[in-house]
Amino acid sequence: MKKFLSLIIIGIICTVLLTACANKNEPLTKKELELSGSIVTESNVLKDSSFPEDLTVKIVYTNGKKSEAVTVTSNMVTGFDTSTEGRKTAVISYEGLKTSFNYRVYTSQTQLYFYDGSGTEENPYQITTPSELQNISLALSDNFVLNNDIDCSGVTWTPIGNNIDETSPFAGSLDGKNHTINNLNVNKINVSVWESYKNTYNYSGLFGVVSGTVKNLILSDCTITATDTENSRRGDVYAGVLTGANFGTVTNITVNNSTVDATAWQICSAGAVCGSNLGIVNECNVTSSDISAVSNGWTANAGGITGASGDRLYYNLYAVVNNCSVSQCEIFAKVTDSVDVSDIDYPSSTTYFGRVYCGGIGGLKVNSAVENNSVADNSLNCESHMSGEYIIFKNEQWGY
């Protein structure tokens, strides 16, 4: 019996040894190419640059072994072209194997903050992520398009563009291509100071101030919270899901299931699209959203599209709100007694103190053309600590 077991063990050992020898002598089969180098890890190539010298290739064999690194030369590559900008693909051929790599040709560093494009009207910057969307702030006069829907959950957002001067508002164009920005949460304000009265203007939304063009965009499940906490006794607040203030052209914007909650020491204007409109708003639609404007003493404007439209005090700007609709929204405007009339010296201590303006389309309308706007099933509420004939203005489309 012992002799029989010994023979079995010897047989097993011989089988293992024979198998090992067979595997050792088995010819290695080329499986794939493995690339390394800056163009693989970073993928960015400056326009008109030569082929990178640090690109190497290794052959991976079926048993997991790799050949020695070989420098890739241009005659091994097809499709590598840096004469024009954009995202491209090149193919490397070596010892019967082929592999490809993606790369991007760029001219300026700003291009690398966006997925693709150069910011021109013909070749706008392409946006695919929340960080690329935020990077619009780095090129306020350029042109942009959305390539896809963007979810801003968990993103700390800074409004894009500030007060109306030559450099700080968003003066370019954004075409949303009917994509959706979801879950934008903004609790920051962009502050600017008007030195003539030492007054502060606070803007909040996806944009702070727009003087260019924004179109074809859906904003859903967004929350805008704008409170002037640092500049009490001088602060106005303008808040909207799209923009705090519009001096440009806004077309085909949809806002769904969103909230705008604004509080100011002086003037407070809140709307689902824009807090204040001093430009053109066309074909915008708002549904199932809550808009609240609270002033601590002077004036509150609240509306489904815009808190206020037009101007009659300083700029005498003419505004337009056409072909817009608002339905199933809660719209609220309130002036509290936190500030006494004697505290206000800009520009008058009595002119608009305590007034509230609330409407389905907008709260206050002056110097504005308005046509073909519609409202349905909205709830409008106004409160003021003051009383009198010209204190509360509330109507289905425009408060006043």
Side-chain angles (χ1 to χ4, degrees):
M1 185 66 179
K2 290 182 178 179
K3 184 177 181 180
F4 179 72
L5 290 174
S6 298
L7 290 173
I8 293 176
I9 293 172
I10 292 171
I12 293 173
I13 293 172
C14 290
T15 301
V16 171
L17 290 174
L18 289 171
T19 302
C21 291
N23 289 339
K24 183 177 181 180
N25 295 325
E26 180 184 346
L28 298 179
T29 303
K30 298 175 183 177
K31 183 181 179 183
E32 61 185 19
L33 296 179
E34 181 183 87
L35 292 175
S36 62
S38 61
I39 197 170
V40 176
T41 57
E42 299 174 7
S43 76
N44 298 315
V45 182
L46 192 62
K47 187 175 182 291
D48 295 325
S49 62
S50 59
F51 191 79
E53 296 180 354
D54 66 342
L55 183 61
T56 60
V57 63
K58 293 181 180 180
I59 297 176
V60 180
Y61 292 90
T62 51
N63 67 345
K65 291 187 176 181
K66 303 172 185 177
S67 72
E68 293 298 318
V70 176
T71 300
V72 177
T73 57
S74 58
N75 61 355
M76 298 162 57
V77 183
T78 57
F80 185 78
D81 174 22
T82 63
S83 64
T84 57
E85 298 174 347
R87 291 185 176 271
K88 305 178 182 182
T89 301
V91 177
I92 293 176
S93 301
Y94 181 68
E95 293 196 3
L97 296 177
K98 290 185 178 182
T99 188
S100 62
F101 63 90
N102 299 319
Y103 65 102
R104 179 182 179 182
V105 180
Y106 72 99
T107 300
S108 71
Q109 193 69 25
T110 303
Q111 290 175 272
L112 302 183
Y113 293 111
F114 306 98
Y115 177 77
D116 206 349
S118 56
T120 64
E121 290 185 11
E122 298 77 17
N123 187 26
Y125 288 128
Q126 298 173 29
I127 293 173
T128 63
T129 67
S131 62
E132 291 169 357
L133 185 65
Q134 182 73 83
N135 288 341
I136 292 176
S137 297
L138 303 175
L140 290 170
S141 297
D142 289 340
N143 302 279
F144 305 86
V145 294
L146 294 191
N147 282 8
N148 47 258
D149 294 348
I150 295 178
D151 189 346
C152 290
S153 298
V155 175
T156 300
W157 191 260
T158 299
I160 300 166
N162 203 359
N163 200 15
I164 50 166
D165 59 32
E166 294 181 354
T167 60
S168 59
F170 174 64
S173 71
L174 171 64
D175 187 348
K177 297 292 184 180
N178 294 315
H179 290 299
T180 300
I181 296 175
N182 292 294
N183 302 310
L184 177 71
N185 192 334
V186 185
N187 52 27
K188 289 187 176 182
I189 54 177
N190 283 354
V191 180
S192 60
V193 178
W194 189 1
E195 292 296 341
S196 299
Y197 289 100
K198 299 187 184 305
N199 193 56
T200 59
Y201 288 83
N202 309 290
Y203 303 98
S204 189
L206 173 68
F207 293 90
V209 177
V210 169
S211 64
T213 301
V214 183
K215 62 182 181 180
N216 306 327
L217 181 64
I218 301 169
L219 297 156
S220 185
D221 299 297
C222 301
T223 301
I224 312 299
T225 305
T227 303
D228 178 27
T229 57
E230 298 180 1
N231 301 284
S232 60
R233 302 183 61 79
R234 287 290 181 186
D236 297 349
V237 170
Y238 302 90
V241 179
L242 179 70
T243 181
N246 172 50
F247 290 83
T249 300
V250 171
T251 304
N252 189 29
I253 306 299
T254 297
V255 179
N256 296 320
N257 302 315
S258 296
T259 299
V260 180
D261 188 357
T263 304
W265 189 81
Q266 288 192 157
I267 298 175
C268 186
S269 286
V273 176
C274 51
S276 176
N277 174 46
L278 293 160
I280 298 172
V281 177
N282 277 318
E283 299 174 2
C284 295
N285 302 285
V286 179
T287 59
S288 304
S289 297
D290 295 339
I291 300 97
S292 173
V294 177
S295 168
N296 289 329
W298 196 1
T299 302
N301 309 308
I305 298 294
T306 181
S309 182
D311 180 85
R312 62 184 175 189
L313 290 178
Y314 309 107
Y315 301 105
N316 292 317
L317 295 180
Y318 199 73
V320 174
V321 181
N322 288 340
N323 305 305
C324 296
S325 67
V326 179
S327 61
Q328 299 179 334
C329 292
E330 298 280 341
I331 303 168
F332 177 67
K334 180 178 181 178
V335 177
T336 73
D337 60 355
S338 300
V339 175
D340 188 81
V341 65
S342 62
D343 294 326
I344 295 180
D345 58 4
Y346 155 71
S348 163
S349 62
T350 58
T351 306
Y352 302 107
F353 195 78
R355 290 189 178 186
V356 293
Y357 300 87
C358 181
I361 299 295
L364 177 62
K365 170 179 64 67
V366 292
N367 290 344
S368 294
V370 295
E371 293 182 357
N372 302 320
N373 300 301
S374 62
V375 294
D377 302 321
N378 298 302
S379 174
L380 308 177
N381 292 285
C382 294
E383 296 180 19
S384 176
H385 71 95
M386 296 188 71
S387 60
E389 185 177 358
Y390 300 105
I391 296 298
I392 293 179
F393 299 86
K394 179 179 72 172
N395 285 293
E396 287 189 356
Q397 287 206 8
W398 295 91
Y400 175 83

